[in-house]
Amino acid sequence: MACNMSITVQVTLLSGKATAVQCGLDDTVETLQRRAQIALHVVRGRLVDSFGRVLDARGSVKDAGLKTGDSLTLHITRAQAHGSRRGFAFLLGDGSIVTRGLDGSKIGPTHAQEIQVSSNALGSAFAAILGDGSVVTWGANHDAVDSSAVREKLKNVQQIQATDFALAAILVDGSVVTWGHSRVGGDCSAVQDQLKGVQQIQASERAFAAILKDGSVVTWGDVRFGGDSSAVQHQLKNVQQIQASEAAFAAILGDGSVVTWGDAWFAGNSGAVHEQLRDVRQIQASSKAFAAIRGDGSVVTWGHADHGGDSSAVQSRLENVQQIQASSNASAAAFAAILDDGSVVTWGHADNGGDSILVQDQLKNVHRIQATRSAFAAIRGDGSVVTWGDPEFGGDSSAVQDQLKNVIQIQASHCAFAATLGSGSVVTWGDAGDGGDSSAVQDELKNVQQIQANGRAFAAILGDGNIVAWGDVRYGGDGEGGEGSADPRV
C-alpha cells in the first residue's frame, strides 16, 4: 500500500492569526483548507501561496507543490446572496455555489466571481462567471438553463445581463453571446454583426438593448418589449445610459435629451413630454412609467398614470429632487422622491404608496427609501423608519416601530421588509409568508452583514460567513419540513 507522506504548513489569516496544519501529499487542497478553517475558527476562504496564487481546492497537495515549512494565507471572502423569483443562489467564500428553493442545489467548487439570474413564473436560470472567464449555468424549468449550444463561445466573459427568458454575455473583446428563449432575447443572430465594442447591456422583460463604444445602440428580442428600435435608430447617438420598464426603454443622450421606444402602454412613447426632457441626469422606472430627474432637480414623468406616469398633482413640489424610488406592483404602482431637504413627495396609485399624507409630517431628514410591490419604507437620519402604502405589503410597521432604531439598511420582498440595525440584528414586518415574520430564526440573526430578498423570502449573511434564511420554504426560506426545507445555513 502506498504511503501518503505528510507535510506541515503554516496557514495565516490577514489579521495575523496563524496555525500549523498537517496533511498528506495525496490529500486535496480542500482537505488542507478545511483543517485550517477549523483550527482558525473561520467558516470559508481560499488558500493563497506566497506568490499570491490561489490554490485549486480540487487538486492534491502534491500537485500544488507544497512542502513542509511553506506559508499560506487563508483569504476569507464574504459570501454573496443572489435572489431569483423562486429561490436564492449563494456564492460562498471558497467560490462554490449553493442554491435554495425551487431552482437547484449545490454546484460544488467553481471559483465563481459573479452570478446573474434570469427568472420567470416557470423557473430560473442562474449563470456564474468563473475565474477563467468561462460560464456555468444551472436552474429549473427555464430555457436558459442549458448553455451547451454556446459553451465554446463563452470565454473571457466580463458581465452577463438577463431578460425574464434569456441571458446575454459581454466578452472582453466587446462581442456578445446569447442563449435562452430565441424570440425573447436568446437569439441575437439578426444583429450579431452589429454587436461589436459593446460597453453595457440593459434589459426589459423580453428584450435587450446594448450600448456600443461609439454611443450607438443595438436592440434585439421581442419587438413588443423594445426589441426593435428602428423607428428611433437615427436618434440613438452618444447614448450614456439606458433604463427599462417592463416593455420599453428610455435612453439618456450626451446632451441630456431622452429617446424612448417599445410598447407605448409601458411608457415607450415620451412624445407628450419630449420638449421637457432636457438636461436629464437620471431616470427611474416603475413597471409602466418613467420618472426623469433633470439637472435643476425638477422631474418629468410619462407613461401609465396608475403607475406614476402623471405627476401633475405634485409637480410644484418636485424641486431639488435627489433620488426616486418606485413600488413594483404589476397592476398599479407609485413613485417616492427624496428632496434635498430630506422631505418626500409621492405620486401614482394611492393604494400602492402614491399617497403619503398620513405620514407626511414624519417624512423629514429621509436618507433612503425601499419599496415592496405596494408600500414604501423610508430610513431617516436618526435611524428611525417611516412606512406607508398597503399594510398587507409592509405599509404598516406599527407592530415593530419601537424596535426600528438605528436602522442602516432595508431590503424588500414582494410583500415584506427586513431592516438591519446597527447592532447587527434584524427587524421584519409585512406579510409573514413573504418573510415578514423572522421569529423562527431571530436568535440566529446576529452580526448580520447583508440581506438579500427574492419574491417571498429573505437571506441574511452573517459576519462569520453563515447564511440564515426565512420566509416561504419553497422559495428558499426556513421551514419545518416540506420541499426545500434544508438547513438555511450553508
Side-chain angles (χ1 to χ4, degrees):
M1 181 180 294
C3 178
N4 185 10
M5 295 179 60
S6 64
I7 64 169
T8 301
V9 297
Q10 186 84 353
V11 180
T12 306
L13 296 176
L14 293 177
S15 65
K17 186 178 180 181
T19 186
V21 180
Q22 186 179 62
C23 65
L25 288 174
D26 294 333
D27 290 336
T28 64
V29 170
E30 184 178 20
T31 298
L32 170 61
Q33 180 176 299
R34 285 178 177 172
R35 291 177 182 175
Q37 289 168 182
I38 292 170
L40 293 167
H41 303 289
V42 295
V43 180
R44 297 178 183 89
R46 299 181 183 181
L47 284 174
V48 179
D49 64 17
S50 57
F51 298 100
R53 178 174 60 102
V54 177
L55 302 185
D56 184 356
R58 296 164 292 185
S60 70
V61 170
K62 181 180 180 180
D63 290 343
L66 299 178
K67 58 184 183 298
T68 293
D70 281 352
S71 295
L72 304 175
T73 303
L74 183 61
H75 286 219
I76 304 301
T77 306
R78 183 178 296 175
Q80 300 175 31
H82 301 265
S84 69
R85 188 172 297 190
R86 310 192 310 165
F88 293 103
F90 304 110
L91 177 55
L92 307 184
D94 60 3
S96 62
I97 298 167
V98 173
T99 57
R100 288 285 185 267
L102 301 178
D103 292 319
S105 56
K106 186 167 183 178
I107 314 296
T110 61
H111 299 294
Q113 307 294 313
E114 179 186 330
I115 294 176
Q116 182 59 266
V117 185
S118 175
S119 193
N120 56 52
L122 299 177
S124 299
F126 296 90
I129 303 175
L130 308 189
D132 63 1
S134 62
V135 172
V136 60
T137 56
W138 73 99
N141 303 319
H142 196 288
D143 294 293
V145 169
D146 183 7
S147 59
S148 58
V150 294
R151 185 164 297 144
E152 292 305 312
K153 299 178 181 179
L154 289 171
K155 298 176 181 178
N156 299 315
V157 174
Q158 288 193 112
Q159 56 180 286
I160 296 176
Q161 184 57 272
T163 65
D164 283 5
F165 296 86
L167 291 156
I170 304 176
L171 309 189
V172 170
D173 64 3
S175 61
V176 173
V177 177
T178 59
W179 68 102
H181 197 299
S182 60
R183 289 179 295 178
V184 288
D187 180 4
C188 64
S189 58
V191 295
Q192 191 71 64
D193 60 342
Q194 302 174 47
L195 290 170
K196 299 174 181 178
V198 174
Q199 302 297 295
Q200 57 179 289
I201 295 177
Q202 183 58 270
S204 66
E205 284 195 351
R206 301 188 180 192
F208 289 108
I211 303 177
L212 308 191
K213 188 176 181 178
D214 63 3
S216 61
V217 172
V218 177
T219 57
W220 70 98
D222 193 323
V223 297
R224 300 168 301 172
F225 286 72
D228 180 5
S229 56
S230 57
V232 295
Q233 199 64 46
H234 62 290
Q235 302 175 49
L236 291 170
K237 300 175 181 179
N238 195 20
V239 173
Q240 303 299 300
Q241 57 178 288
I242 295 176
Q243 183 59 271
S245 66
E246 282 186 15
F249 293 97
I252 303 176
L253 309 190
D255 62 2
S257 61
V258 173
V259 177
T260 57
W261 69 97
D263 193 319
W265 187 252
F266 290 80
N269 185 347
S270 58
V273 294
H274 177 71
E275 293 304 316
Q276 301 173 49
L277 290 171
R278 297 287 183 268
D279 192 26
V280 172
R281 60 179 182 174
Q282 178 187 339
I283 295 178
Q284 180 60 271
S286 65
S287 55
K288 294 182 176 69
F290 289 107
I293 304 176
R294 302 200 303 184
D296 62 1
S298 61
V299 173
V300 179
T301 58
W302 68 99
H304 200 295
D306 279 346
H307 289 258
D310 179 4
S311 56
S312 57
V314 295
Q315 200 64 49
S316 62
R317 297 165 55 197
L318 289 171
E319 299 178 349
N320 301 314
V321 173
Q322 303 299 300
Q323 55 180 289
I324 296 176
Q325 181 61 270
S327 58
S328 56
N329 201 312
S331 59
F335 288 106
I338 303 176
L339 310 190
D340 65 347
D341 63 359
S343 61
V344 173
V345 178
T346 59
W347 68 97
H349 199 285
D351 294 340
N352 297 79
D355 181 359
S356 57
I357 190 170
L358 294 180
V359 295
Q360 199 62 50
D361 60 336
Q362 303 173 47
L363 290 172
K364 299 175 181 178
N365 195 23
V366 172
H367 286 195
R368 292 186 301 281
I369 295 178
Q370 183 59 271
T372 61
R373 283 186 167 180
S374 297
F376 292 94
I379 304 176
R380 301 198 301 185
D382 62 0
S384 61
V385 172
V386 180
T387 57
W388 68 97
D390 193 325
E392 295 183 1
F393 287 75
D396 180 4
S397 57
S398 57
V400 295
Q401 198 62 50
D402 60 339
Q403 303 173 48
L404 290 171
K405 299 175 181 178
N406 194 22
V407 173
I408 58 175
Q409 175 194 358
I410 295 178
Q411 266 288 6
S413 66
H414 286 337
C415 306
F417 291 104
T420 307
L421 309 189
S423 62
S425 59
V426 172
V427 178
T428 57
W429 68 98
D431 190 290
D434 282 2
D437 180 4
S438 57
S439 58
V441 296
Q442 200 64 48
D443 290 343
E444 301 173 68
L445 290 171
K446 299 175 181 178
N447 194 20
V448 172
Q449 305 295 305
Q450 175 196 344
I451 294 178
Q452 181 61 265
N454 61 31
R456 304 195 64 178
F458 293 97
I461 300 174
L462 310 187
D464 62 5
N466 276 329
I467 297 173
V468 179
W470 68 97
D472 193 319
V473 62
R474 299 167 302 170
Y475 290 72
D478 193 11
E480 301 296 328
E483 185 178 7
S485 62
D487 183 357
R489 294 173 298 173
V490 295

